[in-house]
PDB file of all heavy atoms in Angstrom:
ATOM      1  N   VAL A 268      17.211  16.221  27.540  1.00 96.00           N
ATOM      2  CA  VAL A 268      18.370  15.615  28.193  1.00 96.00           C
ATOM      3  C   VAL A 268      19.624  16.065  27.465  1.00 96.00           C
ATOM      4  O   VAL A 268      19.693  15.989  26.236  1.00 96.00           O
ATOM      5  CB  VAL A 268      18.284  14.072  28.188  1.00 96.00           C
ATOM      6  CG1 VAL A 268      19.566  13.459  28.763  1.00 96.00           C
ATOM      7  CG2 VAL A 268      17.061  13.600  28.964  1.00 96.00           C
ATOM      8  N   ASP A 269      20.599  16.543  28.211  1.00 96.00           N
ATOM      9  CA  ASP A 269      21.894  16.939  27.645  1.00 96.00           C
ATOM     10  C   ASP A 269      22.949  16.647  28.716  1.00 96.00           C
ATOM     11  O   ASP A 269      23.365  17.530  29.449  1.00 96.00           O
ATOM     12  CB  ASP A 269      21.881  18.418  27.267  1.00 96.00           C
ATOM     13  CG  ASP A 269      23.134  18.852  26.512  1.00 96.00           C
ATOM     14  OD1 ASP A 269      23.990  17.983  26.239  1.00 96.00           O
ATOM     15  OD2 ASP A 269      23.262  20.051  26.190  1.00 96.00           O
ATOM     16  N   GLU A 270      23.355  15.376  28.812  1.00 95.00           N
ATOM     17  CA  GLU A 270      24.211  14.951  29.911  1.00 95.00           C
ATOM     18  C   GLU A 270      25.267  13.951  29.432  1.00 95.00           C
ATOM     19  O   GLU A 270      25.154  13.369  28.349  1.00 95.00           O
ATOM     20  CB  GLU A 270      23.371  14.267  31.010  1.00 95.00           C
ATOM     21  CG  GLU A 270      22.332  15.147  31.666  1.00 95.00           C
ATOM     22  CD  GLU A 270      21.525  14.394  32.714  1.00 95.00           C
ATOM     23  OE1 GLU A 270      21.887  13.233  33.017  1.00 95.00           O
ATOM     24  OE2 GLU A 270      20.540  14.957  33.215  1.00 95.00           O
ATOM     25  N   VAL A 271      26.258  13.756  30.290  1.00 95.00           N
ATOM     26  CA  VAL A 271      27.245  12.695  30.085  1.00 95.00           C
ATOM     27  C   VAL A 271      26.839  11.521  30.964  1.00 95.00           C
ATOM     28  O   VAL A 271      26.598  11.684  32.157  1.00 95.00           O
ATOM     29  CB  VAL A 271      28.664  13.172  30.438  1.00 95.00           C
ATOM     30  CG1 VAL A 271      29.650  12.008  30.384  1.00 95.00           C
ATOM     31  CG2 VAL A 271      29.108  14.275  29.484  1.00 95.00           C
ATOM     32  N   LEU A 272      26.748  10.337  30.365  1.00 93.00           N
ATOM     33  CA  LEU A 272      26.283   9.145  31.080  1.00 93.00           C
ATOM     34  C   LEU A 272      27.400   8.106  31.140  1.00 93.00           C
ATOM     35  O   LEU A 272      28.028   7.794  30.120  1.00 93.00           O
ATOM     36  CB  LEU A 272      25.067   8.550  30.362  1.00 93.00           C
ATOM     37  CG  LEU A 272      24.481   7.249  30.945  1.00 93.00           C
ATOM     38  CD1 LEU A 272      23.890   7.508  32.320  1.00 93.00           C
ATOM     39  CD2 LEU A 272      23.428   6.675  30.002  1.00 93.00           C
ATOM     40  N   THR A 273      27.656   7.586  32.336  1.00 89.00           N
ATOM     41  CA  THR A 273      28.601   6.483  32.502  1.00 89.00           C
ATOM     42  C   THR A 273      27.896   5.175  32.148  1.00 89.00           C
ATOM     43  O   THR A 273      26.786   4.922  32.600  1.00 89.00           O
ATOM     44  CB  THR A 273      29.122   6.421  33.944  1.00 89.00           C
ATOM     45  OG1 THR A 273      29.816   7.640  34.243  1.00 89.00           O
ATOM     46  CG2 THR A 273      30.089   5.249  34.124  1.00 89.00           C
ATOM     47  N   ILE A 274      28.564   4.364  31.327  1.00 86.00           N
ATOM     48  CA  ILE A 274      27.960   3.126  30.833  1.00 86.00           C
ATOM     49  C   ILE A 274      28.483   1.940  31.638  1.00 86.00           C
ATOM     50  O   ILE A 274      29.650   1.562  31.504  1.00 86.00           O
ATOM     51  CB  ILE A 274      28.280   2.909  29.338  1.00 86.00           C
ATOM     52  CG1 ILE A 274      27.872   4.138  28.519  1.00 86.00           C
ATOM     53  CG2 ILE A 274      27.587   1.650  28.829  1.00 86.00           C
ATOM     54  CD1 ILE A 274      26.407   4.452  28.556  1.00 86.00           C
ATOM     55  N   PRO A 275      27.668   1.341  32.482  1.00 78.00           N
ATOM     56  CA  PRO A 275      28.120   0.157  33.231  1.00 78.00           C
ATOM     57  C   PRO A 275      28.052  -1.089  32.362  1.00 78.00           C
ATOM     58  O   PRO A 275      27.325  -1.137  31.368  1.00 78.00           O
ATOM     59  CB  PRO A 275      27.113   0.074  34.383  1.00 78.00           C
ATOM     60  CG  PRO A 275      25.850   0.635  33.780  1.00 78.00           C
ATOM     61  CD  PRO A 275      26.279   1.701  32.807  1.00 78.00           C
ATOM     62  N   GLY A 276      28.809  -2.082  32.727  1.00 68.00           N
ATOM     63  CA  GLY A 276      28.677  -3.372  32.084  1.00 68.00           C
ATOM     64  C   GLY A 276      29.513  -3.565  30.845  1.00 68.00           C
ATOM     65  O   GLY A 276      29.511  -4.647  30.267  1.00 68.00           O
ATOM     66  N   ALA A 277      30.235  -2.529  30.388  1.00 64.00           N
ATOM     67  CA  ALA A 277      31.114  -2.693  29.225  1.00 64.00           C
ATOM     68  C   ALA A 277      32.463  -3.202  29.716  1.00 64.00           C
ATOM     69  O   ALA A 277      33.012  -2.683  30.688  1.00 64.00           O
ATOM     70  CB  ALA A 277      31.271  -1.372  28.486  1.00 64.00           C
ATOM     71  N   TRP A 278      33.018  -4.213  29.013  1.00 60.00           N
ATOM     72  CA  TRP A 278      34.251  -4.854  29.475  1.00 60.00           C
ATOM     73  C   TRP A 278      35.445  -3.991  29.103  1.00 60.00           C
ATOM     74  O   TRP A 278      36.208  -4.288  28.196  1.00 60.00           O
ATOM     75  CB  TRP A 278      34.364  -6.253  28.891  1.00 60.00           C
ATOM     76  CG  TRP A 278      35.469  -7.053  29.512  1.00 60.00           C
ATOM     77  CD1 TRP A 278      36.642  -7.441  28.943  1.00 60.00           C
ATOM     78  CD2 TRP A 278      35.528  -7.527  30.859  1.00 60.00           C
ATOM     79  NE1 TRP A 278      37.419  -8.125  29.838  1.00 60.00           N
ATOM     80  CE2 TRP A 278      36.757  -8.199  31.024  1.00 60.00           C
ATOM     81  CE3 TRP A 278      34.662  -7.447  31.949  1.00 60.00           C
ATOM     82  CZ2 TRP A 278      37.135  -8.794  32.228  1.00 60.00           C
ATOM     83  CZ3 TRP A 278      35.051  -8.047  33.130  1.00 60.00           C
ATOM     84  CH2 TRP A 278      36.263  -8.709  33.261  1.00 60.00           C
ATOM     85  N   ILE A 279      35.597  -2.897  29.836  1.00 62.00           N
ATOM     86  CA  ILE A 279      36.704  -1.970  29.625  1.00 62.00           C
ATOM     87  C   ILE A 279      37.234  -1.613  31.007  1.00 62.00           C
ATOM     88  O   ILE A 279      36.482  -1.563  31.984  1.00 62.00           O
ATOM     89  CB  ILE A 279      36.233  -0.700  28.879  1.00 62.00           C
ATOM     90  CG1 ILE A 279      35.826  -1.070  27.446  1.00 62.00           C
ATOM     91  CG2 ILE A 279      37.321   0.355  28.833  1.00 62.00           C
ATOM     92  CD1 ILE A 279      35.337   0.091  26.636  1.00 62.00           C
ATOM     93  N   ALA A 280      38.542  -1.361  31.114  1.00 62.00           N
ATOM     94  CA  ALA A 280      39.157  -1.132  32.422  1.00 62.00           C
ATOM     95  C   ALA A 280      38.453  -0.009  33.174  1.00 62.00           C
ATOM     96  O   ALA A 280      38.168  -0.116  34.366  1.00 62.00           O
ATOM     97  CB  ALA A 280      40.642  -0.815  32.233  1.00 62.00           C
ATOM     98  N   GLU A 281      38.164   1.099  32.483  1.00 71.00           N
ATOM     99  CA  GLU A 281      37.458   2.217  33.110  1.00 71.00           C
ATOM    100  C   GLU A 281      36.096   2.346  32.448  1.00 71.00           C
ATOM    101  O   GLU A 281      36.009   2.386  31.213  1.00 71.00           O
ATOM    102  CB  GLU A 281      38.246   3.515  32.933  1.00 71.00           C
ATOM    103  CG  GLU A 281      37.571   4.721  33.565  1.00 71.00           C
ATOM    104  CD  GLU A 281      38.401   5.985  33.400  1.00 71.00           C
ATOM    105  OE1 GLU A 281      39.553   5.876  32.968  1.00 71.00           O
ATOM    106  OE2 GLU A 281      37.892   7.065  33.704  1.00 71.00           O
ATOM    107  N   PRO A 282      35.005   2.382  33.222  1.00 77.00           N
ATOM    108  CA  PRO A 282      33.674   2.468  32.605  1.00 77.00           C
ATOM    109  C   PRO A 282      33.601   3.655  31.649  1.00 77.00           C
ATOM    110  O   PRO A 282      33.928   4.783  32.019  1.00 77.00           O
ATOM    111  CB  PRO A 282      32.743   2.661  33.817  1.00 77.00           C
ATOM    112  CG  PRO A 282      33.478   2.053  34.958  1.00 77.00           C
ATOM    113  CD  PRO A 282      34.932   2.328  34.691  1.00 77.00           C
ATOM    114  N   PRO A 283      33.203   3.422  30.408  1.00 83.00           N
ATOM    115  CA  PRO A 283      33.175   4.509  29.422  1.00 83.00           C
ATOM    116  C   PRO A 283      31.999   5.438  29.643  1.00 83.00           C
ATOM    117  O   PRO A 283      31.028   5.094  30.328  1.00 83.00           O
ATOM    118  CB  PRO A 283      33.048   3.759  28.095  1.00 83.00           C
ATOM    119  CG  PRO A 283      32.335   2.497  28.466  1.00 83.00           C
ATOM    120  CD  PRO A 283      32.811   2.134  29.831  1.00 83.00           C
TER     121      PRO A 283
END
Side-chain angles (χ1 to χ4, degrees):
V268 175
D269 187 3
E270 298 179 8
V271 173
L272 177 66
T273 298
I274 306 298
W278 190 250
I279 293 179
E281 180 178 350

